[in-house]
Amino acid sequence: ASVLLSTFPGYRVTIPKQAKSVLKILECLANTCTLTADLVRIPLIEIAAKTGDAKFKQSASSVLFGFAENVGPKYIIPQIFKRIKEIKNPKLVAGALKWIVECTREFGVSATSYMFSLNQAQTMIAGARGDAKVALASLITEIYRQCGNDAFKFGRSSETAKAHRG
């Protein structure tokens, strides 16, 4: 798998037929091989950006979910947040953020670094516009829905908030 992945340096494939083929290969690898965080990190932001393009959304999302199953959403989501500024097109940024909401919903907040996600969403929402702002609001809402208001009490973790309630 690592030899094949190394043949796609940067994963910056812009020709639609090539992009679809690369995504199909990555989807197959993600669903049949055990991938490491290092292998997943390389193409991650390029694939996350593709979730904002209608032609690639389904395949890119499937690859990201496969990656999340391999190395865990606690790794994938923070990596996307840390590198999201590399995506210049606002529509593609919104796609990546929407995928983070889907991933948080699918795996549940307990499987994610939800306090990190919450902090990132609260920080980014002021400067966001359009679909990106809606996605960030959806992420905050999803975390709130799953945690109740524990995640929002003075930045305490759920466990700390529960301990204070007695």
Side-chain angles (χ1 to χ4, degrees), residues 11 17 25-27 35 50 58 71-72 74-75 77-78 85 88 103 108 115 149 156:
Y11 303 85
K17 280 188 177 182
I25 291 167
L26 290 172
E27 184 178 0
L35 302 176
K50 296 271 189 244
Q58 189 65 41
V71 298
K74 278 188 179 180
Y75 178 79
I77 292 172
K85 288 186 171 138
K88 301 302 179 201
C103 186
M115 290 304 292
N149 61 4
R156 294 187 211 154

Side-chain angles (χ1 to χ4, degrees), residues 37-159:
D38 286 339
L39 288 174
V40 167
R41 187 182 67 249
I42 296 166
L44 187 62
I45 204 65
E46 292 292 326
I47 297 166
K50 296 271 189 244
T51 62
D53 187 329
K55 293 185 296 279
F56 309 113
K57 181 181 184 204
Q58 189 65 41
S59 294
S61 183
S62 181
V63 170
L64 290 177
F65 274 112
F67 284 178
E69 288 172 9
N70 265 274
V71 298
K74 278 188 179 180
Y75 178 79
I76 299 292
I77 292 172
Q79 286 298 311
I80 292 173
F81 269 125
K82 288 174 186 173
R83 296 181 57 198
I84 204 153
K85 288 186 171 138
E86 294 175 30
I87 305 172
K88 301 302 179 201
N89 182 325
K91 183 177 95 172
L92 303 182
V93 169
L97 292 170
K98 287 176 186 175
W99 183 84
I100 289 172
V101 176
E102 288 177 40
C103 186
T104 301
R105 191 172 293 133
E106 181 78 23
F107 284 94
V109 293
S110 62
T112 68
S113 299
Y114 72 91
M115 290 304 292
F116 178 82
S117 294
L118 180 61
N119 188 13
Q120 291 295 304
Q122 289 172 331
T123 301
M124 291 174 67
I125 200 163
R129 287 186 163 68
D131 288 345
K133 190 171 204 128
V134 171
L136 290 166
S138 295
L139 180 59
I140 293 167
T141 303
E142 184 62 27
I143 293 169
Y144 184 82
R145 185 185 70 74
Q146 290 188 40
C147 293
N149 61 4
D150 287 348
F152 296 83
K153 288 186 178 177
F154 308 110
R156 294 187 211 154
S157 70
S158 311
E159 294 78 30

Side-chain angles (χ1 to χ4, degrees), residues 15 31 90 97:
I15 300 168
N31 293 323
L97 292 170

